[in-house]
Amino acid sequence: MDMTGAAYWLPIVWAVLAAMAIFIYIVLDGFDLGLGILFLAERDKTYRNVMVQTIAPVWDGNETWMIFGGAALYGVFPNAYATILPALYLPILIMLFALIMRGVAFEFRSRMHTQRMRDLWDVGFCGGSLVATVMQGVILGTLVSGIHVENNAFVGSGFDWLAPFPLFCGLAVACGYTLLGATWLVWRTENGLQDTMRKWSGILSIAMLVMIAGVSLWTPALHANYMQNWTDWPRILFVAPVPVAVIALAVVMFMALRRKVSRRIPFFCALGWFFLSFSGLGISIWPYIVPPGMTIWDASAPPSSQAFLLVGAAVLIPLILSYTAFAYHVFRGTVNEHSESYH
C-alpha cells in the first residue's frame, strides 16, 4: 500500500473531518436529546412547553452533522462502511426509527387539542430521545470493543452489540446527554424550572463522573494496543492531562451549580467532559477506524476520490456552519412560561 503523499495525508484529513462532524453533532444534538429524556421527569405541563421552546428554533438542523459523518464514511472509507453496517444494522435502524418517532412527536404534541393526546406524544418524544441516545452509545461501544473482520469483511454476528461494554456505553451516553439537556435548561430557563434543572445537573454530574471512570478503566482492558496507546511516548503527553482536566471541570461545575454564579458555565463544563472523553477514545483507537484491525488507510478510497470529495466538503462545511451559527445567533436569551412561542 502506498503510504506517501496524498495517499497518506488525505485519509488523515478525512478522519479529522469525520471526527469533527461527530463531535459537533454530539454538541448540538446531545442537549436536545437529553432534554427529551428529561421531559417526563418534569410533571408541570407549562414547564414542559417551556422546555420545548428552548430547542424549537434550532433542533431540526442538528442531524445534518450526522448525515455528513455517514456520507464521509460511505464515500471516503468504503471498506469501513461495508464492515460497520452489517455489524450494526439493528442498532442503527432502531436509532433511526427512534429519531423519526421523536421528530414526529415533537411536531404533533403542539397540535393536539386534548391533554390526553398531548401526553401520549410526550411519551413518544421522551421514549424516542432515550432509545436513540442509548443506541448511539451502543454503536460507539461496539466499535471501540472491536468488530470481527477477516479479509476486510465482517464475519461476526449481527448481535455482537448485545455485550456488556456496548450496553454500558449506551447507559453512559444517555447519562451524558441528559446532563447536557439539564445544563442547557439551566442556561436557557428561569425561576422554578431552572432550580429543578440545577438539582438534576448536580445528580447527573456525579453519575457522569462515575461513567467516565468506568469507561476509562474498561477501555484499556479490551485490547492490548489500547493500553499501549495510553502509555507510549509521546501519546502519554496527551493522555496524562485528561483526568486532571476532568477533575478541574468537576470542581468548576459544582461551584457554578451551588453558587449560581453563571447560567452557562455548567453547560460548557459538561461539553468539556464530552470533549475530553471523545479525545480519550480517539487516542485509544487511533489509527484504527474499525478496531482492532482496519486502519484509516486500509479502509480509504483511492486518493483521487478523496480529493474530489474534499472539494465538495470545502463548500458544504462552511454552509452548514453558517446556517447553524445563524440559528443559534437568532435564538438568544432565556425562555419562560410567558415567552412568545417559537413552535
Side-chain angles (χ1 to χ4, degrees):
M1 180 182 296
D2 183 13
M3 292 291 286
T4 59
Y8 178 78
W9 287 107
L10 280 173
I12 296 176
V13 171
W14 271 107
V16 171
L17 288 176
M20 178 197 73
I22 293 169
F23 184 71
I24 292 176
Y25 170 77
I26 291 171
V27 171
L28 297 182
D29 210 36
F31 70 80
D32 65 55
L33 283 167
L35 183 149
I37 296 171
L38 280 168
F39 210 58
L40 294 185
E42 178 53 63
R43 298 189 178 185
D44 189 302
K45 304 300 189 295
T46 301
Y47 282 161
R48 284 188 190 177
N49 293 335
V50 173
M51 292 168 72
V52 167
Q53 292 300 95
T54 66
I55 61 171
V58 297
W59 79 280
D60 45 358
N62 295 337
E63 280 85 5
T64 307
W65 294 100
M66 179 192 291
I67 296 170
F68 178 84
L73 186 67
Y74 176 79
V76 181
F77 302 109
N79 290 337
Y81 183 89
T83 302
I84 292 170
L85 205 63
L88 294 169
Y89 268 133
L90 276 176
I92 289 174
L93 286 175
I94 293 170
M95 178 192 72
L96 292 176
F97 280 124
L99 288 173
I100 292 169
M101 178 64 199
R102 176 177 175 271
V104 171
F106 185 90
E107 295 295 338
F108 272 73
R109 70 173 302 277
S110 62
R111 290 166 171 78
M112 295 297 104
H113 300 294
T114 64
Q115 190 60 53
R116 182 178 179 183
M117 291 302 299
R118 178 169 287 194
D119 288 343
L120 182 63
W121 287 116
D122 285 353
V123 171
F125 180 58
C126 179
S129 300
L130 178 60
V131 172
T133 298
V134 170
M135 287 300 106
Q136 288 180 19
V138 166
I139 291 167
L140 174 64
T142 304
L143 282 172
V144 173
S145 60
I147 293 175
H148 301 294
V149 177
E150 290 182 9
N151 299 320
N152 285 341
F154 174 62
V155 294
S157 165
F159 293 95
D160 286 347
W161 54 276
L162 285 173
F165 184 75
L167 294 175
F168 184 79
C169 286
L171 181 62
V173 171
C175 177
Y177 279 10
T178 310
L179 174 62
L180 284 176
T183 53
W184 170 261
L185 291 169
V186 169
W187 182 7
R188 294 298 191 179
T189 62
E190 301 173 346
N191 307 323
L193 180 58
Q194 186 189 60
D195 292 337
T196 300
M197 290 305 144
R198 283 187 186 276
K199 294 175 184 177
W200 273 112
S201 296
I203 295 169
L204 290 165
S205 293
I206 295 171
M208 183 66 172
L209 290 172
V210 171
M211 294 296 174
I212 291 173
V215 172
S216 299
L217 293 172
W218 202 334
T219 299
L222 296 172
H223 299 288
N225 61 325
Y226 288 174
M227 178 61 79
Q228 186 177 356
N229 285 346
W230 284 25
T231 55
D232 279 1
W233 184 269
R235 294 192 188 190
I236 193 172
L237 293 176
F238 299 98
V239 175
V242 170
V244 178
V246 169
I247 294 172
L249 285 172
V251 172
V252 175
M253 169 73 88
F254 290 119
M255 287 180 62
L257 290 174
R258 178 174 295 182
R259 298 181 182 179
K260 302 180 181 181
V261 292
S262 171
R263 294 173 180 271
R264 66 185 68 185
I265 286 177
F267 180 71
F268 286 105
C269 286
L271 286 182
W273 281 338
F274 267 94
F275 176 77
L276 293 170
S277 301
F278 191 74
S279 301
L281 288 175
I283 293 169
S284 298
I285 68 174
W286 178 263
Y288 298 100
I289 192 170
V290 184
M294 185 183 293
T295 67
I296 58 173
W297 298 282
D298 296 329
S300 61
S304 57
S305 299
Q306 296 181 61
F308 177 76
L309 292 169
L310 194 60
V311 175
V315 176
L316 283 176
I317 291 176
L319 287 175
I320 300 172
L321 285 171
S322 297
Y323 75 67
T324 301
F326 177 76
Y328 283 87
H329 175 74
V330 170
F331 174 59
R332 292 177 292 179
T334 60
V335 178
N336 58 45
E337 55 269 32
H338 306 296
S339 298
E340 180 181 354
S341 175
Y342 287 93
H343 186 56

